[in-house]
């Protein structure tokens, strides 16, 4: 049913339709609305005999799901930012154990300085943990990706993170088609675990593995990810058949048919980039946009294929590899190995800074004119940096950076844009 | 080569031998229907108290649960010596995830069983003192306060033995470990630090808390059996000597464990819903030195010169336990 609904509420409805048996939750903004709604629906008996556990930390939340998933239950949790880092050890563990847990990441920056707004630092920090990572462009995408995620996870026995931009999506009200139980049940078969803790058939799970087989276990996980690259397009096709709309997928192109320049990004910023592309196209600039919908496994060949006619690639990413630059752009570069294409790294939207169409347009034109510094920080306030550097030169005990920068900028309260 | 005569029966104690007990109450090491949940052939050290405690606790749990048992294990000695593939010593469904999350993993299993209407299966989580009182303490407390249907067994050997004898929050005062070495002004572990997790468990008001020792395996079996019959969060803290970490003779594991109980340093008690309901009386109190002198981790206390102040402080701890738990009444 099509309804005007908040992103988090819509995702909660989608999760409920997938009928998880155990949900563990620990509060952190901006994912809280999802689990709040799920706690209500569980209590009301709308999710069968689903058990909702209020736990004492994110580490416990994922650990609870490890036990539940290994007992053959369909499991779900959501987290953000510090919460994801706090459960990092368990995140790796889930993938190593091959448990098909589905987790929403309401993407948010990582402190210090503490910041509750959106960027992709959190899921990027755990990109190599062995979880499949899907990024939602809008709230319809978020709903649909979660339904696909359970089928994907359970078919490969591999965990899936569905990443959606904190606040930008989680707290945005927009029209979303929330499917019904009949549709979801027809698409998503019941969970049939490949391993289960069962007194009738005892197995040891999580035993120590030495150098003799550790590489092979990890290689197997890598193979599962490569399999996901084949399985995912099939799931998208099946989804379209069941729900009459196309959602998800590895990557997709927008106005790329004759584009010299491609802007690559993930998540909700795709909408803004498409606007910038449209406006530049009106002025005769041949630019297009490539969305990466699945970041892990990274669809190297598919991305490369979409960029066949392109001579310049600009990767706009909401994260920063400190001391290096881009994270996504490094992956794009490796996908384009051996080809004569300039790849620019643009760091944008950190800690919730708005990414405007005008800044994007300006940046694209600068890139075309070979005037971008590498990596390029969109809308960077250089004066503040220079003042702070000068202060550091003059005073040894210069104090905390963040607080002085705010003072220099004379910002009262928090200004998001 | 030096030889030592070892008697295969206990002497000099008040412990009643099995032969004197009636058939039903005997502790039987091996018989045809014993499940051997933790099977022979694992890689524990000679004289390992933890292997002994786990074997008796889990077999008792299997009997009490009619073989419907799932066990979770924290990282640690027990996990490492029992599990390397393909030689798992576990005859029961067994899972290891991380060092600090065994209680939460067990909570998850219990939740899944509830969702699947399997109320016939018992979930046990187990870990050493490091996993329990330190790194897994948050998850343990969470499992307690939610009153999740899990029996947690802590095998307390009073330090991080798996990583090579480092101090934990359960290391006793003055004990030498590799991170509280017997050097400097106050050698060994500082007095006044550490935590008493059985009492903290009790403060959660959970249905059942008990302490047990491998010195009295029959009592351990009884407590595990009782705990299996209770629903909700349950905690049993088992004192298990570690010959390697304590510097005691592997042949003396039972003796050392017994002296810890008989000196009052490790009180045996049971509690229900936050109240201590009974304790095991000491039949013949022994001075703490009898316990300490068998372990090289306390060697520095015996000098020369003897650290009379430290020994008096440890004796005071034992006497305090005896008073608090009414062990001599």
């Amino acid at each position: 049913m099509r309804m005007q609904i908040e992103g988090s509420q819509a995702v909660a409805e989608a999760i409920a339709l997938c009928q998880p048996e155990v949900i563990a939750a620990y509060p952190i903004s901006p994912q809280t609305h999802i689990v709040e709604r799920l706690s209500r629906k569980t209590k009301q008996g709308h999710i069968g005999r689903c058990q909702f556990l209020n736990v004492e930390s994110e580490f416990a939340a994922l650990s609870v799901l490890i036990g539940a998933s290994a007992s053959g239950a369909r499991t779900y949790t959501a987290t953000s930012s510090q919460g994801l880092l706090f459960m990092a050890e368990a995140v790796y563990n889930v993938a190593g154990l091959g448990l098909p847990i589905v987790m929403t990441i309401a993407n948010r920056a990582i402190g210090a300085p503490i910041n509750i707004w959106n960027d992709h630092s959190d899921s990027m920090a755990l990109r190599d943990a062995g979880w499949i990572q899907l990024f939602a462009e809008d709230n319809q995408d978020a709903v649909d990706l979660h339904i696909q995620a359970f089928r994907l996870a359970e078919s490969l026995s591999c965990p899936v993170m569905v990443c959606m931009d904190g606040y930008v999506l989680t707290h945005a009200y927009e029209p979303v088609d929330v499917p019904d139980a009949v549709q979801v049940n027809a698409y998503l078969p019941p969970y049939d675990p490949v391993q289960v803790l069962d007194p009738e058939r005892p197995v040891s799970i999580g035993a120590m593995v030495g150098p003799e087989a550790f590489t092979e276990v990890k290689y197997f996980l890598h193979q599962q990810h490569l399999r996901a690259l084949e399985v995912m397009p099939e799931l998208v096709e099946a989804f379209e058949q069941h729900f009459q709309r196309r959602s998800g997928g590895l990557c997709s192109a927008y106005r790329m048919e004759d584009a010299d320049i491609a802007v690559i990004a993930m998540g909700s910023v795709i909408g803004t980039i498409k606007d910038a592309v449209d406006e530049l196209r009106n002025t005769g600039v041949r630019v297009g946009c490539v969305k990466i919908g699945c970041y892990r496994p990274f669809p190297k060949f598919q991305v490369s294929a979409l960029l066949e006619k392109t001579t310049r690639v600009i990767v706009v990413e909401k994260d920063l590899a400190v001391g290096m630059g881009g994270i996504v752009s490094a992956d794009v570069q490796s996908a384009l190995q051996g080809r004569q294409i300039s790849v620019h790294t643009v760091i944008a939207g950190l800690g919730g800074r708005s990414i405007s169409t005008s800044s994007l347009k300006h940046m694209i034109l600068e890139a075309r004119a070979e005037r971008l510094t590498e990596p390029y920080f969109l809308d960077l306030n250089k004066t503040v940096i220079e003042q702070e550097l000068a202060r550091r030169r003059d005073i040894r005990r210069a104090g905390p950076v963040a607080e002085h920068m705010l003072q220099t900028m004379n910002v009262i309260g928090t200004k998001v844009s | 080569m030096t030889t030592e005569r070892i008697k295969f029966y206990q002497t000099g104690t008040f412990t009643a031998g099995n032969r004197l007990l009636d058939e039903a109450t005997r502790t039987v090491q091996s018989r045809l229907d014993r499940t051997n949940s933790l099977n022979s052939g694992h890689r524990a050290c000679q004289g390992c108290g933890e292997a002994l405690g786990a074997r008796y606790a889990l077999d008792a749990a299997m009997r009490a649960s009619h073989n419907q048992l799932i066990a979770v294990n924290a990282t640690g000695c027990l996990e490492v010596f029992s599990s390397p593939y393909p030689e798992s010593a576990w005859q029961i469904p067994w899972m290891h995830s991380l060092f600090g999350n065994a209680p939460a993993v067990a909570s998850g299993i219990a939740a899944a069983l509830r969702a699947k209407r399997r109320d016939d299966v018992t979930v046990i989580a187990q870990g050493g003192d490091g996993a329990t009182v330190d790194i897994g303490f948050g998850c343990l407390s969470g499992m307690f306060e939610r009153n999740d249907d899990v029996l947690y067994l802590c095998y307390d050997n009073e330090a991080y033995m798996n990583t090579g004898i480092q101090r934990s929050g359960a290391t006793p005062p003055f004990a030498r470990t590799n991170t509280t070495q017997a050097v400097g002004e106050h050698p060994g572990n500082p007095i006044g630090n550490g935590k008493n997790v059985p009492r903290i468990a009790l403060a959660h008001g959970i249905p059942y808390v008990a302490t047990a020792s491998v010195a009295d395996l029959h009592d351990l079996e009884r407590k595990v059996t009782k705990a299996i019959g209770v629903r909700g969060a349950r905690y049993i803290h088992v004192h298990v000597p570690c010959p390697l970490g304590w510097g005691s003779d592997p042949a003396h594991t039972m003796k050392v464990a017994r002296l810890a109980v008989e000196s009052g340093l490790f009180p045996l008690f049971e509690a229900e819903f936050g109240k201590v309901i009974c304790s095991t009386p000491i039949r013949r109190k022994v001075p703490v030195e009898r316990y300490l002198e068998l372990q090289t981790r306390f060697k520095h206390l015996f000098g020369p010169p003897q650290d009379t102040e430290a020994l008096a402080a440890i004796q005071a701890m034992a006497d305090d336990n005896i008073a608090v738990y009414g062990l001599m009444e």
Side-chain angles (χ1 to χ4, degrees):
Chain A
M1 197 176 78
R2 204 167 164 78
M3 53 179 95
Q4 185 75 11
I5 187 170
E6 190 205 39
S8 298
Q9 310 288 336
V11 166
E13 289 300 323
I15 297 302
L17 287 166
C18 295
Q19 296 284 301
E21 291 164 286
V22 177
I23 297 172
Y26 187 80
I28 184 166
S29 299
Q31 61 79 39
T32 34
H33 290 180
I34 303 173
V35 292
E36 281 173 4
R37 178 120 166 183
L38 285 168
S39 88
R40 183 181 170 85
K41 293 186 83 75
T42 309
K43 189 77 188 293
Q44 288 172 327
H46 293 163
I47 320 183
R49 281 180 59 80
C50 179
Q51 305 292 310
F52 186 99
L53 274 74
N54 281 301
V55 294
E56 70 283 354
S57 72
E58 288 89 355
F59 175 65
L62 194 54
S63 298
V64 161
L65 299 193
I66 288 172
S69 185
S71 307
R74 181 172 287 165
T75 55
Y76 172 80
T77 190
T79 193
S80 298
S81 181
Q82 318 294 141
L84 182 62
L85 293 199
F86 196 68
M87 63 166 73
E89 194 192 9
V91 172
Y92 272 82
N93 201 246
V94 167
L97 291 167
L99 298 173
I101 295 168
V102 171
M103 171 160 68
T104 307
I105 308 300
N107 286 115
R108 169 183 149 181
I110 286 169
I114 185 169
N115 175 299
I116 63 166
W117 293 278
N118 166 244
D119 68 33
H120 292 167
S121 307
D122 47 7
S123 40
M124 279 298 145
L126 287 161
R127 67 189 180 279
D128 300 324
W131 288 57
I132 291 168
Q133 288 190 335
L134 310 177
F135 278 80
E137 179 182 345
D138 54 32
N139 284 339
Q140 185 66 63
D141 208 22
V143 162
D144 298 347
L145 286 181
H146 278 93
I147 298 165
Q148 293 180 13
F150 280 105
R151 185 161 152 178
L152 179 64
E154 290 167 11
S155 72
L156 296 169
S157 214
C158 183
V160 178
M161 281 181 204
V162 180
C163 307
M164 61 190 291
D165 286 327
Y167 297 110
V168 181
L169 294 182
T170 56
H171 287 56
Y173 281 76
E174 49 185 38
V176 176
D177 190 345
V178 178
D180 60 37
V182 179
Q183 286 175 298
V184 175
N185 290 342
Y187 177 76
L188 180 63
Y191 173 36
D192 183 13
V194 299
Q195 54 181 343
V196 67
L197 293 164
D198 177 6
E200 304 310 320
R201 285 191 294 174
V203 286
S204 299
I205 300 177
M208 179 172 273
V209 173
E212 67 284 355
F214 193 81
T215 306
E216 285 69 21
V217 174
K218 291 291 168 186
Y219 182 80
F220 183 82
L221 180 57
H222 180 60
Q223 284 300 311
Q224 293 299 89
H225 269 236
L226 298 186
R227 282 255 298 127
L229 291 173
E230 295 164 17
V231 170
M232 223 175 302
E234 295 165 19
L235 292 188
V236 170
E237 289 301 323
F239 189 88
E240 192 173 5
Q241 277 168 24
H242 280 87
F243 298 88
Q244 284 78 50
R245 67 172 168 272
R246 204 161 177 84
S247 271
L250 300 172
C251 52
S252 59
Y254 179 76
R255 301 191 79 170
M256 282 295 296
E257 47 295 342
D258 61 343
D260 301 324
I261 306 171
V263 183
I264 301 184
M266 308 194 295
S268 63
V269 74
I270 291 290
T272 320
I273 293 172
K274 283 176 180 170
D275 286 347
V277 164
D278 289 344
E279 289 175 28
L280 286 175
R281 282 262 173 191
N282 290 341
T283 64
V285 182
R286 290 200 299 191
V287 60
C289 170
V290 168
K291 171 177 95 170
I292 295 172
C294 170
Y295 181 57
R296 282 291 183 273
F298 190 73
K300 262 190 183 186
F301 301 110
Q302 293 80 354
V303 168
S304 172
L306 292 178
L307 300 172
E308 214 166 354
K309 295 172 192 156
T310 315
T311 52
R312 189 180 300 281
V313 168
I314 303 167
V315 182
V316 175
E317 47 186 308
K318 292 181 171 183
D319 54 66
L320 173 64
V322 179
M324 160 63 187
I327 300 172
V328 183
S329 49
D331 291 321
V332 170
Q333 231 144 10
S334 112
L336 300 175
Q337 210 168 21
R339 288 178 51 185
Q340 291 299 311
I341 301 185
S342 315
V343 179
H344 303 279
T345 303
V346 175
I347 309 297
L350 295 187
R353 178 165 294 183
S354 297
I355 302 174
S356 69
T357 324
S358 59
S359 294
L360 284 174
K361 284 195 307 189
H362 175 72
M363 176 274 293
I364 293 166
L365 294 175
E366 289 289 288
R368 191 171 68 156
E370 297 280 357
R371 283 200 296 264
L372 282 195
T373 48
E374 288 295 329
Y376 180 77
F377 287 75
L378 196 72
D379 297 335
L380 184 71
N381 184 336
K382 285 195 179 139
T383 320
V384 173
I385 306 279
E386 276 152 20
Q387 282 175 347
E388 184 61 20
L389 284 171
R391 222 171 54 77
R392 293 252 149 178
R393 271 193 300 273
D394 301 341
I395 313 165
R396 173 64 206 164
R397 187 169 291 189
V401 176
E403 286 69 8
H404 280 284
M405 284 191 175
L406 282 178
Q407 213 166 36
T408 313
M409 290 169 128
N410 199 18
V411 177
I412 298 166
T414 302
K415 191 162 173 283
V416 177
S417 55
Chain B
M1 192 177 126
T2 57
T3 56
E4 189 190 351
R5 281 176 64 87
I6 295 173
K7 294 191 174 91
F8 287 103
Y9 49 91
Q10 299 182 350
T11 53
T13 77
F14 285 99
T15 310
N18 251 339
R19 287 166 300 137
L20 303 178
L21 297 169
D22 68 71
E23 197 98 23
T25 51
R26 285 183 193 176
T27 300
V28 181
Q29 288 208 27
S30 80
R31 73 176 172 221
L32 214 56
D33 62 349
R34 185 166 185 140
T35 49
N36 297 317
S37 312
L38 174 62
N39 214 349
S40 58
H42 58 67
R43 305 170 185 190
C45 306
Q46 212 177 36
C48 173
E50 188 175 35
L52 183 66
R55 170 168 152 78
Y56 275 76
L58 289 169
D59 282 346
M62 279 291 271
R63 281 194 293 278
S65 69
H66 309 289
N67 301 342
Q68 297 300 303
L69 196 67
I70 296 175
V72 177
N73 218 125
T75 309
C77 279
L78 179 58
E79 170 262 328
V80 169
F81 74 61
S82 68
S83 81
Y85 271 158
E87 295 148 349
S88 176
W90 296 100
Q91 306 296 304
I92 54 176
W94 178 90
M95 182 175 202
H96 161 252
S97 170
L98 296 166
F99 200 0
N101 71 355
V105 172
S107 291
I109 295 171
L113 292 170
R114 206 156 52 240
K116 293 175 182 299
R117 299 181 195 274
R118 287 293 304 269
D119 57 3
D120 57 323
V121 182
T122 297
V123 183
I124 279 187
Q126 48 188 353
D129 51 293
T132 307
V133 318
D134 292 344
I135 196 167
F137 186 66
C139 288
L140 184 70
S141 178
M143 186 272 277
F144 285 164
E145 69 86 9
R146 291 187 302 270
N147 200 24
D148 289 335
D149 196 12
V150 172
L151 166 58
Y152 190 97
L153 292 161
C154 169
Y155 305 111
D156 179 9
N157 58 20
E158 303 185 335
Y160 291 87
M161 299 314 186
N162 188 43
T163 44
I165 320 163
Q166 295 84 20
R167 179 209 181 266
S168 82
T171 300
F174 309 109
R176 183 208 69 87
T177 69
N178 284 327
T179 50
T180 54
Q181 300 206 8
V183 294
E185 203 180 344
H186 297 288
N189 194 35
I191 190 164
N193 295 6
K195 53 181 138 174
N196 186 332
V197 170
R199 291 212 68 93
I200 299 172
L202 198 142
H204 285 76
I206 56 176
Y208 186 72
V209 173
T211 58
S213 167
V214 289
D216 190 346
L217 292 168
H218 203 70
D219 181 61
L220 170 63
E221 290 181 318
R222 185 183 65 76
K223 285 167 175 166
V224 169
T225 305
K226 185 173 174 182
I228 297 290
V230 177
R231 303 311 290 256
R234 293 144 284 163
Y235 181 75
I236 302 179
H237 191 101
V238 192
H239 199 229
V240 293
C242 169
L244 184 77
W246 294 10
S248 56
D249 188 327
H252 288 166
T253 292
M254 295 300 269
K255 186 177 182 179
V256 169
R258 193 182 317 116
L259 291 168
V261 173
E262 288 184 348
S263 62
L265 280 173
F266 193 84
L268 299 180
F269 68 89
E270 285 176 276
E272 291 177 6
F273 299 103
K275 288 190 178 60
V276 176
I277 53 156
C278 65
S279 57
T280 306
I282 296 171
R283 289 191 59 186
R284 183 182 58 184
K285 183 185 166 188
V286 297
V288 293
E289 286 88 345
R290 287 275 310 281
Y291 167 67
L292 303 172
E293 69 195 5
L294 294 177
Q295 309 170 50
T296 59
R297 63 174 173 159
F298 294 113
K299 194 176 167 210
H300 55 282
L301 300 183
F302 293 94
Q306 205 172 64
D307 190 340
T308 47
E309 208 178 309
L311 291 170
I314 298 173
Q315 187 60 57
M317 285 168 54
D319 293 342
D320 189 51
N321 282 337
I322 289 168
V324 168
Y325 296 99
L327 303 178
M328 297 289 284
E329 284 161 10

